Amino acid sequence: MNKKIFSPLALLLVSLLLLTSLFSACNLEEITKEDLELPEEEAEVISPDESVAPEEETAEPEISEEVFDYYQKLAMCFEDDLQSARIKRWPASEIRVAVNDKASTEDYEAIEKLLSDITSIPGLPQFILVEEDAEELDHEKNSLVIYYETKAEIEKILELTDFQVYQWYINWGIKPAFEFTDAAIFLNTEDTVEKREFGLRKAFLQMLGLLNNDVRNKELALDRNSEIIELSELDKQILELHYRPEIRPNMLVTEAVADLKAIYLEGADPSEIKAKNTPSEKELEAEKEANIDYIPDESTEELWKSLGVTPRHAEIIEQDFYAQRKDIDPEFFERALEYFEEVVGYGEFDSTYDGYVHKWSNEREISVSMLGDYEDWDLETMENLLAQLNNIPNMPEFKLKAEADETADIVIHFLPLKEMHEVIGSDMLSEWGIFFYQWDSSFETISAKIGIATDVNTKNSRRHLLQEEFIQCLGLINDSYEYADSIFQQEWTTVQYPNELDWLLVEMLYRPEITAEMPIDEAIETLRGLYLD
C-alpha cells in the first residue's frame, strides 16, 4: 500500500478535516492536493516507485499458555519415560500417500480435504497423493499408506508387510533419532463413512507425532471425547508448534515447550533457539547410539520410604517383607492387598476372568529357555530377574537353560513383530511383548510362552517387557493404571525393574498358604491375616 507524505500545513488541514467529520470514515491515503486545495508547491507528491514499504511484521502470532499445555500433553505420553517424552516427527519435506482400491468416493474426498488442511499449516511436510498401488509402495522411502479393508482383511495385510510397528489405526517406523520413516493407517470398511473419516483424522494427527490423547477440550481432534471431523484452529496451532524448525526430533518435549514459550511469549530470537538446538554430526551419531536411561518415579519412591520401605530397585537382595512386617507401616500392606486383587484377580484382556489364583507349584523347579535373536543384555536382564525371584522366600526354583530348548517350562521367543502371531499364537496385533500360559484342572500353571518383538523395541523397552511378561506369567496377569513405576502399569512405560509393591505381590502370591484355585477374596483374607493381623 502506498503512503502519502504531507507538509506540516497539509497535516494541519487534515486534522481539521478529521475534527469536522467525527461520524464519517476518512481514508488518508485517498486525500490528494486537489481535495485540500493546496498550492502546488506545498503538496509533496511521490511517484509509486518511491513509495515507502510497510515495516515487516516480525512478532509471532499470539498463542495462549493453555495451548502449550495441550501440546505438551499430546506430544508426551509419560514424563518419567524418556522414550515417550521425546519429540517424534517426520524429517522429510515430502511424504507420498497411497490409498488402496477399497476406498470409496467419500473416503477419497475425506483424504483430499485432510491433506489440503494439513499441508496449509506452516512447517508441515507436503503430503502428496500418488497413484501407485498401495501394496507395492516402497515403504522405506517416506511414505504413508491408507488401507480401507474389513477387520479380517487388515489382519492378513499385516502379516505380509514390513512395517516395524502396527496398531489398529496407525503404524509408524521410527529411526534411532525418533524420526518417522513410514506409516500406515488402517480403516475398517465395515464402519460408517463418518466413523472412517473421524478415525482418519485422529490417526493422521497421531501419525504426525501427537501420540497421546487429552480429555479437556472437545475442540481437539485428539480429545478422547471428541468426534469432530474437521481440524480446529487449536489443532492447527498445536501441529504448527510441533513442526517449528527450532525444535527437532529427539528433544525432550519439556525442553521443546520451554523453547517455544520463549519464542512466542518472551520474544526470544528464533534463529538463536534453532542454533542452540542444532547438533553437530558427531552429536547426532552419539545420540543414535545412546541408551536413554529410565528415571524412577521419585514420588512413589518417597511414598515407600514414608511407609518404612527402602527402595532397592534392581539390587539382588533377599527382600522378605513378611519377616519385616512389624517395621513397615500397615498402609503398605493395605495398598498391596488392593493391588493384589486387581493384578491377580482379573485378566488383562478378559474382564470375565475366573477370579481364582493361578500359580506354579511352590515345590517344583521351573526351567527357562531363551530362543531367537536375543542380545547379551537380554540374557543379563533375565539372569538378574531370576536371581531376584530365587531370593524371594517360598518361590519355586527357576533355572535358565544354557541351550535353546523349546520343551522348557517357560520359553521366551525373541522375534520380529510380524512373526508373533504364528509363533506365540497371539492375535493382539499391537503387543510388542506378550505371554500365554496353560494350567491344569486345579489351576496350577504347567507351561508358558513369552514373545518379545526384536524389531520395534528399544533396549529399554525390551528389558522392561521381558521382566513384565515373565512376572505376569507367574500368575500376576493383569495391568493397572495405579502406580506409574509399577511393572504392571497399563500405560506404555519403560520401567526398568519392578518396584517394591511389585516384589511384595510376588511374595504374597507364592506364600505357601496361598494355593492355586483359591478364590481371590479368600486369598486376600488369608494374606491380611498373615501380614496385618
Side-chain angles (χ1 to χ4, degrees), residues 130-158:
V130 300
E131 295 183 358
E132 295 177 64
D133 189 303
E135 295 184 19
E136 295 178 2
L137 191 67
D138 183 356
H139 301 298
E140 299 302 316
K141 295 181 179 179
N142 298 314
S143 60
L144 164 66
V145 183
I146 304 175
Y147 289 101
Y148 287 85
E149 298 283 0
T150 64
K151 183 177 178 180
E153 289 168 336
I154 288 172
E155 292 183 12
K156 294 178 182 177
I157 291 172
L158 292 176

Side-chain angles (χ1 to χ4, degrees), residues 422-442:
E422 180 181 352
V423 176
I424 306 299
S426 166
D427 59 357
M428 303 296 177
L429 300 176
S430 61
E431 296 302 312
W432 298 2
I434 199 163
F435 78 94
F436 285 92
Y437 69 109
Q438 293 182 307
W439 59 89
D440 61 19
S441 58
S442 64

Side-chain angles (χ1 to χ4, degrees), residues 264-320:
Y264 284 90
L265 304 181
E266 301 166 19
D269 185 344
S271 62
E272 292 181 3
I273 298 290
K274 185 176 181 179
K276 173 179 73 74
N277 293 332
T278 302
S280 65
E281 289 297 322
K282 185 176 181 180
E283 288 172 329
L284 279 175
E285 288 304 313
E287 206 172 66
K288 291 178 181 180
E289 297 299 324
N291 175 44
I292 302 170
D293 291 327
Y294 170 78
I295 296 178
D297 184 334
E298 293 183 4
S299 63
T300 310
E301 285 192 0
E302 291 304 314
L303 172 63
W304 303 149
K305 289 177 182 178
S306 72
L307 299 178
V309 177
T310 303
R312 305 297 183 96
H313 304 319
E315 297 176 38
I316 309 302
I317 60 169
E318 180 141 2
Q319 185 146 274
D320 188 342

Side-chain angles (χ1 to χ4, degrees), residues 74-75 83 86-95 125 127 139-144 164-165 170-184 203-212 239 242-243 249-250 432:
L74 294 173
Q83 297 284 352
R86 292 183 177 266
I87 295 289
K88 304 173 182 67
R89 69 184 193 190
W90 293 86
S93 58
E94 282 190 1
I95 311 296
F127 289 86
H139 301 298
E140 299 302 316
K141 295 181 179 179
N142 298 314
S143 60
L144 164 66
Q164 291 180 299
V165 185
I170 179 172
N171 173 41
W172 60 85
I174 304 179
K175 293 179 181 178
F178 297 94
E179 295 176 344
F180 295 160
T181 59
D182 56 88
F204 208 100
L205 264 64
Q206 290 188 308
M207 181 270 301
L208 288 172
L210 304 175
L211 305 181
N212 206 0
L239 283 169
H242 194 59
Y243 279 85
N250 207 11
W432 298 2

Side-chain angles (χ1 to χ4, degrees), residues 304-305 307-312 315-333 388 391-394 500-501 503-504 507-508 511 530-533:
W304 303 149
K305 289 177 182 178
L307 299 178
V309 177
T310 303
R312 305 297 183 96
E315 297 176 38
I316 309 302
I317 60 169
E318 180 141 2
Q319 185 146 274
D320 188 342
F321 291 102
Y322 178 76
Q324 303 172 53
R325 65 191 185 281
K326 293 183 180 179
D327 300 321
I328 297 174
D329 192 318
E331 185 183 344
F332 182 63
F333 297 112
Q388 182 70 71
N391 275 332
I392 296 176
N394 307 303
E500 273 38 61
L501 201 59
W503 288 127
L504 175 54
E507 177 184 303
M508 284 180 161
R511 288 288 307 177
L530 288 168
Y531 287 87
L532 287 168
D533 295 341

Side-chain angles (χ1 to χ4, degrees), residues 11 33 181 199 204 289 409 417 451:
L11 291 174
K33 61 185 181 70
T181 59
F204 208 100
E289 297 299 324
D409 298 313
L417 187 58

